[in-house]
Amino acid sequence: MQRVFSGIQPSGVPTLGNYLGAIRNWVPMQEQHESLFCIVDLHAITQFQEPAQLLLQTREMAAALLACGLSPEKCILFVQSHVPAHAELGWIFNCVARLGWLNRMTQFKDKAGKDREAASAGLYVYPNLMAADILVYKATSVPVGDDQRQHLELANDIAEKFNHDYGVKLFPRIEPHILGVAARVMSLRDGTKKMSKSDPSDQSRINLNDDNDAIALKIRRARTDAEPIPGHMLQLEGRAEARNLVGILAAITNTMPENVLREHEGQGFGSFKEVLTEALVAHLSPIRAEMLRLLEDPGSLDAALRRGAEKAEAIANPILAEVKQAMGFLARR
Ligand code: AQP
């Protein structure tokens, strides 16, 4: 049986992008595989988080994941900083990965922006910690959005170099699982930027705890163009915002973008946006209600996360011990 690992940063309330590109695909995986889903707070602090916000966002993320259908009975749901083996293997991988490899990571360039000198060192070595998150469980299957493909390639390079340098076959090859028609949901304000929970503009995204009015307003204000909806995907070339809204409706109604175009060909975006709002509200409002219900009892959320961390540690610690032994670390006796 394949072991599945995936993570999500508690850097804000999860968005429709996180949901369609990642979380929604995790739910069926817990039925078929041994699955670990991790709230990666050590990754979130690569960009400054207000302490009170981080605490709140970590619980909100746990509530959102449970509300979307993850079950602590079927998967291991936990917080990254509760399992120190991640940080320890992350450091070891800092010493395996090459600077040249990290220099090629496009996400660092995107997130650091123009002032790279001011970015944290953590943001730069983020992909090494991500490799550790996966490999500390010898997980082989990693469901992620399309934007994470490059990081998984790097994780495989690290695993291969480690195995080669220490003459072992310790780490397996990781297979990315890029799933769904909406592998990349774009910002509602700029169709060339991905939808992000930490985007300064709240209007750029749908948050999983947005109420129906907020969803309607954001979709009404979403950028589009004056052209009507075409009949074929090719005709959406160069119309990033229009393409994004078509992709979202297709994903949320479980169909292909071509079918959405066929149904709405010739319409303007006014009526299309009404249909989209209705579909989003129908899908997201039960998730929001369940999220709010779970957040009323933080003690139960924390207890579920603690049990998850215990199960995760039981897998990670022996693997970390194997790594250290291969490297010649003196064992603590
Ligand atoms: N816009 C998106 N479309 C599709 N998938 C997405 N994911 C993120 N944004 C989109 C997928 O969600 C998973 C968890 O992401 P993350 O929290 O680990 O980090 P991220 O990719 O950096 O997500 P955000 O929302 O953009 O967070 P911030 O704003 O903190 O940087 C991943 O599988 C990702 O592919």
Side-chain angles (χ1 to χ4, degrees):
M1 191 161 81
Q2 278 198 323
R3 184 174 285 155
V4 171
F5 178 93
S6 203
I8 186 159
Q9 299 183 70
S11 45
V13 178
T15 68
L16 181 67
N18 299 130
Y19 176 68
L20 294 176
I23 305 169
R24 186 170 74 158
N25 302 315
W26 296 355
V27 177
M29 292 197 155
Q30 63 180 349
E31 308 285 349
Q32 298 145 12
H33 305 285
E34 183 185 18
S35 306
L36 296 112
F37 298 113
C38 185
I39 300 174
V40 288
D41 50 356
L42 298 175
H43 284 285
I45 60 159
T46 55
Q47 290 182 307
F48 182 76
Q49 304 290 330
E50 287 292 345
Q53 278 301 106
L54 182 63
L55 190 62
L56 175 70
Q57 286 162 192
T58 303
R59 288 204 182 104
E60 273 175 349
M61 184 58 77
L65 296 176
L66 293 170
C68 289
L70 291 187
S71 157
E73 318 306 323
K74 296 180 183 166
C75 69
I76 302 177
L77 175 64
F78 68 106
V79 175
Q80 188 184 26
S81 64
H82 292 179
V83 181
H86 287 245
E88 226 178 314
L89 187 61
W91 173 258
I92 291 171
F93 284 173
N94 284 344
C95 303
V96 175
R98 305 291 93 181
L99 284 182
W101 302 355
L102 291 171
N103 285 339
R104 287 196 285 276
M105 295 298 114
T106 54
Q107 193 181 80
F108 174 76
K109 291 175 196 161
D110 293 344
K111 288 202 170 173
K114 288 199 180 77
D115 192 5
R116 273 194 220 173
E117 298 286 308
S120 74
L123 188 65
Y124 188 68
V125 295
Y126 178 118
N128 297 343
L129 181 58
M130 183 170 159
D133 296 336
I134 302 162
L135 291 166
V136 82
Y137 301 101
K138 296 189 182 176
T140 49
S141 173
V142 183
V144 281
D146 180 52
D147 54 312
Q148 295 296 326
R149 193 187 291 271
Q150 198 186 27
H151 287 164
L152 294 186
E153 283 163 14
L154 184 98
N156 274 328
D157 289 343
I158 291 174
E160 231 169 75
K161 182 164 167 55
F162 183 96
N163 286 346
H164 176 266
D165 289 356
Y166 294 102
V168 288
K169 287 193 178 130
L170 206 153
F171 292 121
R173 241 195 114 64
I174 301 166
E175 294 298 334
H177 276 248
I178 316 278
L179 296 167
V181 270
R184 193 176 288 214
V185 178
M186 308 311 279
S187 157
L188 299 177
R189 308 299 304 160
D190 175 353
T192 62
K193 261 174 59 183
K194 84 169 178 132
M195 184 180 284
S196 260
K197 56 180 120 63
S198 64
D199 191 301
S201 163
D202 188 57
Q203 297 296 315
S204 70
R205 58 174 174 267
I206 305 286
N207 305 307
L208 291 191
N209 66 353
D210 279 344
D211 63 22
N212 299 351
D213 290 344
I215 295 174
L217 190 67
K218 286 176 178 181
I219 294 298
R220 215 176 308 130
R221 287 190 179 155
R223 245 178 92 178
T224 41
D225 52 44
E227 299 296 313
I229 297 183
H232 298 283
M233 287 304 285
L234 276 178
Q235 295 166 290
L236 281 176
E237 215 52 58
R239 297 176 64 188
E241 284 83 11
R243 192 191 179 91
N244 188 35
L245 295 189
V246 168
I248 292 174
L249 182 58
I252 207 87
T253 55
N254 280 317
T255 185
M256 297 304 288
E258 289 77 6
N259 296 336
V260 169
L261 292 183
R262 216 167 293 131
E263 202 168 316
H264 296 277
E265 183 176 3
Q267 286 178 12
F269 273 95
S271 54
F272 181 85
K273 281 179 170 181
E274 280 173 29
V275 174
L276 178 57
T277 300
E278 215 173 286
L280 285 170
V281 164
H283 200 95
L284 298 181
S285 67
I287 293 177
R288 173 174 173 270
E290 178 62 2
M291 208 179 143
L292 294 180
R293 191 189 70 77
L294 290 166
L295 281 167
E296 280 172 15
D297 184 2
S300 295
L301 279 177
D302 293 0
L305 292 171
R306 188 179 58 242
R307 286 193 296 275
E310 284 161 6
K311 289 187 206 162
E313 260 187 332
I315 305 173
N317 287 352
I319 294 175
L320 185 64
E322 209 186 329
V323 170
K324 288 179 169 175
Q325 192 189 19
M327 296 176 75
F329 281 68
L330 177 67
R332 195 181 76 181
R333 293 190 208 280

